[in-house]
Amino acid sequence: MATENMYGDLVTSTTRATPKSKRRRKVPPPGKIPLLEEMALLSFFEAHSIKPQHYYTLLRILVNHPDPGSMTWDDIPWDDKSLGLPSKLKDLLPNEFVIMSSKVANRFESTQHDNHTTKLLVELHDGERVEAVVMKYNKHSTVCVSSQVGCQMACSFCATGTMGMIGNLSAGEVLEQLLLANTVAQIRNVVFMGMGEPLNNYNAVISALRQMTDRRVFSLRAGHITVSTVGVVPSMHKLTRDMPSVSLALSLHASNQHVREVIVPTATAYPFEQIMGALDNHLSNCNKKSNTSVAAMIEYILIANINDADEHAVELGTLMRDRNVMINIIPYNYTPGNDFQAPSQEKCDAFQRIVVEHSGRMCRVRRVHGSDIAGACGQLALSMPKKAAAGGGCSDGSGAGDCGGGADGAHRPGVVEGTAAAPVDIEDILGG
């Protein structure tokens, strides 16, 4: 009989490493469970007759620490009577939990364009590694977090897809990426566009989202969080039900079912009509914060001679005409193992103009962020920095990709005439 732990489906009868991968995640032993693992810690408190309110006290101490990675149990002010922490916790917690189960194994800096991008290679408790990307802007910063080690979606243009599926991250491991990112810059926005398909790790992602937006923990605005998906229809509906204020980024990458099946293997499982239905459900129910914000972004990897024809642009624009979305055109970023190429800048701009003409929606061509450190869209696969081909945005292990980089500016054709200038960050559009 299947059982579930912090890795979701790790211990079900169907869970195994995919053929491309020889490994699978290991459950953390006692003393290695992340303190940010909400369900594990609350169950522990209940077993020891400790009030759940102390969970949030502990987490606020952790979140407010300037360097959580170096924090020890002695750094917790156990004797501070205003906190009211039970004295027995000091001895009990280290037997089951660790303050941080993840660490930064390496850090890579990029200074492309006017923004600053940092890629963190994060090592998990079992030695597996994921990547998180931090993008710093003039007024705020965004982190792109991973939700899985590897990915089972196997999108043909995505480096993470070449890894195969190794395992899910727990909610605590997702949140630890946010903590580590906060040591690089103060994070305002979170995008689930790193390694993995977030909606294939639904329970952990939802738990992480709830703690990110909980005023007692990270206290982020739900409108400043974006979840990307290649189109897992049942979980798209669940996300709208469970977290209606979170923005959605749909990795569509094609203007019709036939083209999508060529580059997105899961397209046969979730046909175009079903994906559009799930998108419309989110658009109808998302709690937008302002009249100028949109509830969803359409991500479209532009690949030369595959999905970049004028008729594709007409189809995409027509498809989005009556949908309140932003369209993000992402020129293909080089990844090993395929013969794809990015279109020319002129082709990208022409595609963008046609989409705008037929949709009336804001449409942008993605600016490069982090391609020199293999942190750009579709490049996250635990690679070392190297010179990469020019291309679009920043990361997406699910084959999507747009880690919240800068807009191109009001002078570009992607800003529909009559609208305000393009904002600096995608979350200014999505979040309101």
Side-chain angles (χ1 to χ4, degrees):
M1 181 177 179
T3 58
E4 184 173 302
N5 62 14
M6 65 183 67
Y7 294 135
D9 64 350
L10 183 64
V11 292
T12 66
S13 59
T14 59
T15 299
R16 58 182 61 87
T18 56
K20 291 182 180 180
S21 169
K22 303 295 184 183
R23 311 189 304 275
R24 58 180 289 181
R25 296 298 313 278
K26 297 178 181 178
V27 178
K32 295 292 185 180
I33 301 173
L35 194 62
L36 283 165
E37 212 63 69
E38 180 182 27
M39 296 309 299
L41 191 55
L42 289 177
S43 296
F44 177 84
F45 279 10
E46 183 179 5
H48 292 86
S49 301
I50 297 171
K51 294 180 180 179
Q53 68 195 51
H54 299 302
Y55 167 78
Y56 300 102
T57 302
L58 282 172
L59 261 59
R60 288 307 304 168
I61 294 171
L62 177 58
V63 170
N64 290 328
H65 195 277
D67 185 13
S70 65
M71 186 176 173
T72 69
W73 293 111
D74 290 335
D75 291 328
I76 297 176
W78 301 105
D79 297 330
D80 188 337
K81 292 190 180 350
S82 65
L83 297 177
L85 290 171
S87 57
K88 62 181 178 179
L89 272 180
K90 184 175 182 179
D91 296 323
L92 289 173
L93 282 175
N95 295 326
E96 295 290 334
F97 296 90
V98 63
I99 293 177
M100 288 283 289
S101 68
S102 307
K103 64 181 181 181
V104 176
N106 216 331
R107 172 173 169 164
F108 309 108
E109 305 286 347
S110 169
T111 54
Q112 288 181 327
H113 302 292
D114 298 329
N115 297 298
H116 195 102
T117 303
T118 300
K119 182 170 78 169
L120 301 178
L121 182 61
V122 179
E123 185 171 310
L124 310 175
H125 78 91
D126 55 359
E128 299 292 352
R129 293 180 172 186
V130 295
E131 294 176 338
V133 182
V134 180
M135 288 139 292
K136 289 171 276 189
Y137 304 93
N138 292 331
K139 295 182 179 180
H140 55 261
S141 296
T142 295
V143 62
C144 171
V145 297
S146 294
S147 57
Q148 295 178 312
V149 184
C151 184
Q152 69 187 45
M153 307 309 278
C155 295
S156 55
F157 48 80
C158 178
T160 310
T162 66
M163 296 174 59
M165 176 61 180
I166 295 169
N168 289 329
L169 268 64
S170 69
E173 289 171 328
V174 173
L175 293 169
E176 285 182 342
Q177 293 175 68
L178 175 54
L179 277 182
L180 294 171
N182 270 326
T183 67
V184 177
Q186 185 60 48
I187 299 300
R188 190 194 75 164
N189 306 319
V190 178
V191 291
F192 282 76
M193 300 179 182
M195 297 170 62
E197 163 57 61
L199 296 189
N200 278 346
N201 188 15
Y202 188 82
N203 289 342
V205 167
I206 283 295
S207 178
L209 287 171
R210 285 173 173 155
Q211 292 183 80
M212 287 177 182
T213 56
D214 193 322
R215 292 185 179 275
R216 297 167 295 181
V217 190
F218 287 94
S219 195
L220 297 178
R221 278 180 51 184
H224 288 159
I225 301 175
T226 303
V227 177
S228 177
T229 179
V230 77
V232 184
V233 170
S235 293
M236 289 173 67
H237 287 292
K238 289 168 63 178
L239 180 69
T240 301
R241 178 197 68 198
D242 295 338
M243 295 293 292
S245 295
V246 167
S247 300
L248 181 71
L250 175 59
S251 301
L252 195 60
H253 306 318
S255 57
N256 59 62
Q257 178 68 17
H258 173 71
V259 175
R260 198 164 198 263
E261 289 180 7
V262 173
I263 56 178
V264 180
T266 58
T268 55
Y270 301 113
F272 225 72
E273 294 76 13
Q274 292 183 20
I275 292 175
M276 289 298 101
L279 171 64
D280 290 340
N281 179 52
H282 187 80
L283 294 175
S284 298
N285 292 283
C286 184
N287 299 327
K288 294 184 295 180
K289 298 301 181 182
S290 74
N291 292 330
T292 60
S293 65
V294 298
M297 174 172 64
I298 303 302
E299 300 181 297
Y300 194 102
I301 297 283
L302 203 61
I303 306 172
N305 303 315
I306 299 293
N307 63 354
D308 67 336
D310 289 354
E311 54 263 37
H312 296 144
V314 172
E315 281 185 326
L316 180 62
T318 303
L319 187 66
M320 298 303 159
R321 180 182 298 152
D322 297 322
R323 294 180 165 98
N324 186 22
V325 299
M326 179 182 74
I327 303 162
N328 200 27
I329 306 301
I330 310 167
Y332 169 72
N333 280 299
Y334 169 77
T335 58
N338 62 60
D339 297 324
F340 294 150
Q341 294 184 2
S344 67
Q345 185 62 52
E346 292 75 17
K347 183 66 174 178
C348 292
D349 289 344
F351 192 94
Q352 179 190 36
R353 284 192 294 269
I354 295 172
V355 170
V356 171
E357 178 184 352
H358 287 269
S359 69
R361 300 297 172 187
M362 179 175 287
C363 176
R364 301 184 317 161
V365 175
R366 197 62 169 137
R367 180 186 292 178
V368 176
H369 276 270
S371 66
D372 61 329
I373 55 173
C377 174
Q379 291 184 320
L380 297 191
L382 307 181
S383 55
M384 298 296 288
K386 61 183 178 181
K387 287 291 182 182
C394 189
S395 101
D396 182 12
S398 67
D402 177 72
C403 269
D408 278 346
H411 65 283
R412 292 192 59 91
V415 179
V416 181
E417 185 177 357
T419 66
V424 175
D425 195 3
I426 59 168
E427 286 71 27
D428 291 333
I429 306 170
L430 293 170

